[in-house]
Amino acid sequence: MTKPFLIAFLTIFFLLNSQNIVFAQFPLKENRKTALYSDTIEAIHYGIHLTDINLTNKTIQGYTEAKLVSRTGKLSAIKLELARLSVDSVFINSVKIKAFSLSNNKLAIKLNAQINSGDTILAAIYYHGHTFVDPSGWGGFHFSGDYALNLGVGFDAIPHNLGKAWFPCIDDFHDRALYDVYLTVANDKKAISGGTLVDVTNHGNNTSTWHWKTEHTLPTYLISATTGKYELVADTFNGLKARIPITYYCKPEDLKKTAGTFVNMKNILRIFENHFGPYPFERVGYTGTPGGLGAMEHASNVSYPFSAWTGNTEREWWYTHELSHMWFGDKVTCASAEDMWLNEGWAVWCESLYREGIYRKQAYRDNMRSKLKGVLQTTAITDGGYFALYGIPQTITYGSTVYQKGGQVVHTLRGYLGDSLFFGGVKAYLQKYAYNYASTYDLRDFLSSYSGIDLKPFFDAWVFAPGFPHFSIDSSVIVKSGSGYDVKVFVSQKLKGTTQYANANHLEITFMDNSWQKNIDTIVFSGAVGHKTFHLPFFPTTVMADMDEKISDATTDQFKIIKSTDEYDYKQTFCKLQVEKIADSALVRITHNWVAPDSLNLLQPGIRISDSRYWTVEGIFPNGFKAKGEFTYKATENLDKTLLTDPKDSLVMLYRTGAGSIWAKTPFIRKGSWAEGTITVNKLQKGEYTLGVLNSKYMDKK
Ligand SMILES: [Zn+2]
């Protein structure tokens, strides 16, 4: 057919031209320490031929033809990357080259004649051998029983890109090329790559070659090769722009589980298309991976663990994560490893976002909250400290900060811009940088200009600085004014894991009265404290900050509307309510603050209070409402390890009505050991609670 050929040709032509324009319009906004091979030469097409994938010897053999274009003048040698494999011969424009060397994964090839900027050469490299697996055991090219496959990045390989594990290439996040992949396997196996299956040629010797072709450019870490005993379950998605084929290559035993495993796939595709634009590749593809190997977002051919083929929706968040990478990572690729949150943070956030479309807003919120608790409690421990999202050390590119804090920052950015500007801006950004790379600065500047909101202060605090801000209301002063009330609200900012205050913060304030009248407004403030006067038509009995949890600051909070006596678990706040009496509906909000309470104004000597957390209880408590509050304590890192240091100390619960009042001991019942248990306050009141310990020397002096 001539038509596909013409399209491929036009795409290459367009790319060559558009890349020049892209560079002219978007100068690099990165702090790159090292030059990239793609600074001097770029690949526009790879023809990868694995002529033998030997499952017994665990070796591959084949050749790759790379069409390369010089980006500088007077180039007399080129460098490609190839890991572990041995090179048999090299040809440039069909002429055999003797002067090449391979060491430390670098394949240096001396050209017979210099080439100049814009010149194209065809390098054909023949190679064979055992394949590379990165020290983490995750990325590289794997053999496992009847299966062989690549995973395109290595956690412990620096740089992380591992196209080089199975073909010679320019292996970075910038360089994008088109691919034809030819995989020769035994006839009882299938061989799957990205793009579209062009044909399967049976050689008559019990082997066949599977030819796959991509229509969209990809960096080397996103092209894939997978072979093994697979069955195909095929489907189609009617996308916004095109009918997209769906392929699930599963273990023969899992055939019947496929439909149940991916039951929501098309709904999720629709949600992502609506938010982020048409599905960006020619196929939605998931191919099973054996032997405990992980999931990897190879474009249109996601590697997806056999173990996640559950037959039910238990793991759907996982394929959703990989699906979201088709937009975040594959369509627009992070400019560098230091920008990895642009791939992984967004994908983690998408694990929550899809729930909003399928299971409603509350499911999104519950999922974000549960992840936020995890981030605040464990990320600094697992990553070995607080790190800024941007510029993350390459040892933790794939760590909790990038994934989990990254997801929370995307959520917070959504709240900051509001849904209309946020989703409109993100869709436009993905279009602007389509099939290209973008840096953190590119995202910041694009969304700033799209929205008209200067995002520099937001990025300075949330992306370029470590840790978290913490926002709270210190007090409010209510004065009668005309037919309504003037309410002056004083807010403050504390810090967790950072010394840098966030500026230009948008903090939503919710005012409610006892008959549930409600007003929501916003205070914009910078630095440690702020205040604003709001005019209200009613007298507010409760004033709450960020009730809708739009900001992932150092708080985990939840409100519940309570209508009957029962137990209510505020899961991510280490607090449970036992409602004993209720005549009318109550609104009870519990906030777990992951910062130290102000330690001033202690009523009793000898008491040391928590340096890491306290609770806020707010809401509408109607007459006759009575609830017990059960708080959890534990001498573990990031909870009470610094407070509960001495079994001789006596644990106490402290209460105050608000930030301006004095902490005083409040009666409680303790269950558990000195190091772990619960504290129950018999009559929970609005105000603040925190843990303290009374030094044994003071115990008799009551
Ligand atoms: Zn991911």
Side-chain angles (χ1 to χ4, degrees):
M1 298 274 286
T2 53
K3 205 179 168 195
F5 175 77
L6 184 66
I7 290 167
F9 174 77
L10 287 174
T11 313
I12 293 168
F13 183 73
F14 171 76
L15 253 171
L16 281 171
N17 283 285
S18 71
Q19 285 209 347
N20 289 331
I21 295 165
V22 164
F23 274 97
Q25 280 184 343
F26 301 105
L28 274 177
K29 287 181 185 162
E30 296 172 76
N31 289 323
R32 269 213 274 133
K33 293 181 190 88
T34 49
L36 298 174
Y37 288 2
S38 61
D39 293 342
T40 55
I41 194 154
E42 64 179 310
I44 54 171
H45 181 268
Y46 292 100
I48 307 171
H49 303 253
L50 296 190
T51 51
D52 183 32
I53 303 170
N54 195 313
L55 299 173
T56 311
N57 298 335
K58 302 186 176 180
T59 55
I60 60 172
Q61 177 164 3
Y63 62 98
T64 290
E65 293 175 315
K67 192 179 264 185
L68 306 167
V69 178
S70 175
R71 296 179 66 173
T72 62
K74 296 184 181 170
L75 201 59
S76 56
I78 58 167
K79 276 185 191 166
L80 299 174
E81 295 178 72
L82 185 67
R84 201 178 172 198
L85 293 153
S86 304
V87 172
D88 304 313
S89 54
V90 174
F91 296 81
I92 299 289
N93 296 336
S94 305
V95 177
K96 193 164 185 175
I97 301 283
K98 286 191 181 133
F100 69 86
S101 65
L102 177 63
S103 69
N104 292 330
N105 299 346
K106 314 294 183 212
L107 173 62
I109 303 168
K110 198 165 177 333
L111 302 177
N112 287 340
Q114 276 188 352
I115 55 170
N116 285 308
S117 184
D119 287 353
T120 302
I121 54 170
L122 186 71
I125 294 123
Y126 289 74
Y127 54 98
H128 76 277
H130 290 282
T131 52
F132 176 83
V133 173
D134 102 287
S136 74
W138 200 89
F141 195 98
H142 297 271
F143 289 88
S144 175
D146 284 331
Y147 298 88
L149 69 142
N150 79 304
L151 292 176
V153 294
F155 302 149
D156 290 348
I158 294 178
H160 304 298
N161 316 59
L162 287 181
K164 64 172 85 60
W166 62 291
F167 65 103
C169 56
I170 295 165
D171 209 10
D172 60 44
F173 292 115
H174 286 205
D175 201 45
R176 303 182 77 98
L178 295 166
Y179 298 81
D180 281 88
V181 179
Y182 303 82
L183 305 170
T184 302
V185 295
N187 284 346
D188 65 341
K189 308 281 192 310
K190 291 183 170 61
I192 307 107
S193 182
T196 303
L197 181 61
V198 178
D199 53 37
V200 181
T201 307
N202 191 333
H203 301 298
N205 59 352
N206 194 35
T207 66
S208 297
T209 297
W210 295 59
H211 172 198
W212 295 83
K213 186 180 199 65
T214 70
E215 273 172 38
H216 297 286
T217 61
L218 296 171
T220 46
Y221 81 100
L222 292 174
I223 189 69
S224 52
T226 318
T227 174
K229 287 193 170 162
Y230 288 108
E231 290 291 340
L232 170 63
V233 178
D235 203 344
T236 309
F237 170 63
N238 286 313
L240 280 180
K241 231 174 62 180
R243 280 168 65 85
I244 315 268
I246 303 178
T247 61
Y248 303 108
Y249 284 95
C250 65
K251 254 193 317 201
E253 308 91 277
D254 288 345
L255 251 185
K256 283 187 182 151
K257 288 187 190 165
T258 301
T261 301
F262 297 98
V263 65
N264 281 320
M265 177 63 86
K266 291 184 206 174
N267 290 333
I268 298 166
L269 274 163
R270 202 154 289 120
I271 291 165
F272 285 173
E273 280 206 327
N274 287 336
H275 284 315
F276 309 133
Y279 182 77
F281 295 99
E282 50 270 51
R283 179 174 118 243
V284 173
Y286 283 76
T287 301
T289 57
L293 294 169
M296 176 66 205
E297 68 269 23
H298 302 125
S300 68
N301 184 37
V302 171
S303 296
Y304 195 60
F306 286 142
S307 62
W309 245 266
T310 56
N312 55 43
T313 58
E314 206 179 291
R315 300 281 177 92
E316 72 183 2
W317 65 269
W318 198 357
Y319 70 72
T320 304
H321 173 114
E322 304 307 332
L323 186 69
S324 75
H325 274 311
M326 297 304 121
W327 287 266
F328 300 101
D330 294 11
K331 181 179 180 182
V332 179
T333 304
C334 57
S336 71
E338 288 75 16
D339 294 287
M340 189 54 71
W341 78 282
L342 298 178
N343 293 15
E344 297 301 346
W346 286 75
V348 166
W349 169 73
C350 283
E351 291 167 16
S352 304
L353 177 72
Y354 89 94
R355 294 166 205 256
E356 187 173 306
I358 292 188
Y359 306 110
R360 307 212 170 215
K361 186 94 185 178
Q362 192 59 41
Y364 168 73
R365 205 178 275 174
D366 289 346
N367 192 251
M368 286 308 305
R369 185 190 311 118
S370 126
K371 286 176 176 163
L372 177 58
K373 180 204 170 209
V375 175
L376 293 167
Q377 190 168 7
T378 64
T379 290
I381 299 170
T382 53
D383 279 357
Y386 290 96
F387 291 92
L389 272 185
Y390 175 75
I392 200 92
Q394 294 217 11
T395 47
I396 51 166
T397 304
Y398 299 98
S400 183
T401 302
V402 166
Y403 280 67
Q404 297 300 331
K405 188 192 166 184
Q408 297 296 331
V409 169
V410 176
H411 168 74
T412 306
L413 181 61
R414 175 187 183 180
Y416 197 80
L417 289 173
D419 273 8
S420 163
L421 286 177
F422 173 78
F423 284 111
V426 170
K427 199 188 271 187
Y429 155 83
L430 289 167
Q431 203 43 46
K432 186 83 176 178
Y433 291 92
Y435 311 106
N436 211 322
Y437 62 87
S439 72
T440 300
Y441 296 96
D442 291 327
L443 177 72
R444 180 194 68 185
D445 295 348
F446 183 88
L447 290 180
S448 290
S449 85
Y450 179 91
S451 66
I453 297 171
D454 178 10
L455 289 172
K456 191 172 180 301
F458 181 94
F459 272 68
D460 282 349
W462 291 92
V463 178
F464 295 114
F468 297 83
H470 168 276
F471 301 113
S472 62
I473 295 174
D474 270 350
S475 61
S476 43
V477 177
I478 307 170
V479 181
K480 181 96 179 106
S481 165
S483 60
Y485 297 87
D486 283 334
V487 186
K488 189 170 186 180
V489 178
F490 295 86
V491 295
S492 72
Q493 180 178 179
K494 296 190 179 83
L495 302 175
K496 180 179 177 66
T498 181
T499 53
Q500 187 180 321
Y501 285 106
N503 295 324
N505 305 298
H506 296 186
L507 184 61
E508 256 184 21
I509 309 288
T510 301
F511 305 90
M512 292 181 80
D513 71 2
N514 281 349
S515 54
W516 297 63
Q517 283 197 80
K518 189 172 176 180
N519 240 355
I520 302 174
D521 209 331
T522 301
I523 176 169
V524 179
F525 80 108
S526 295
V529 291
H531 61 81
K532 183 180 174 182
T533 301
F534 301 86
H535 187 75
L536 295 182
F538 59 84
F539 182 93
T541 48
T542 181
V543 181
M544 294 177 279
D546 191 30
M547 196 174 173
D548 285 336
E549 300 166 78
K550 290 183 179 173
I551 304 177
S552 296
D553 64 340
T555 62
T556 38
D557 55 271
Q558 191 177 5
F559 71 85
K560 290 180 193 282
I561 293 167
I562 292 171
K563 294 182 172 163
S564 57
T565 56
D566 206 343
E567 185 178 275
Y568 297 86
D569 192 356
Y570 288 68
K571 261 192 188 154
Q572 320 306 342
T573 71
F574 305 90
C575 181
K576 269 183 200 170
L577 243 60
Q578 188 67 49
V579 176
E580 295 179 323
K581 280 185 196 158
I582 185 162
D584 205 350
S585 297
L587 185 152
V588 182
R589 184 188 194 213
I590 311 282
T591 300
H592 184 266
N593 301 279
W594 295 82
V595 291
D598 304 320
S599 56
L600 300 170
N601 299 334
L602 261 171
L603 198 61
Q604 192 177 341
I607 289 180
R608 182 165 58 87
I609 68 173
S610 171
D611 66 355
S612 63
R613 61 192 191 120
Y614 67 100
W615 289 269
T616 309
V617 179
E618 300 165 290
I620 299 168
F621 289 26
N623 284 337
F625 176 74
K626 183 172 182 285
K628 284 182 178 170
E630 182 191 285
F631 301 89
T632 304
Y633 66 89
K634 195 171 184 185
T636 184
E637 200 150 4
N638 259 6
L639 279 186
D640 305 316
K641 194 180 177 183
T642 51
L643 182 72
L644 306 174
T645 53
D646 186 349
K648 291 198 293 295
D649 289 344
S650 150
L651 188 60
V652 293
M653 193 63 164
L654 300 153
Y655 168 77
R656 65 180 181 181
T657 51
S661 338
I662 293 170
W663 285 112
K665 269 168 63 180
T666 192
F668 64 91
I669 297 159
R670 184 169 71 91
K671 268 191 211 158
S673 71
W674 73 275
E676 182 175 359
T678 59
I679 277 187
T680 301
V681 173
N682 200 29
K683 189 173 188 309
L684 191 74
Q685 301 192 64
K686 290 204 260 179
E688 295 178 350
Y689 290 86
T690 193
L691 297 167
V693 286
L694 179 61
N695 189 294
S696 52
K697 279 194 296 189
Y698 291 84
M699 277 182 201
D700 297 324
K701 294 184 185 172
K702 282 190 180 161

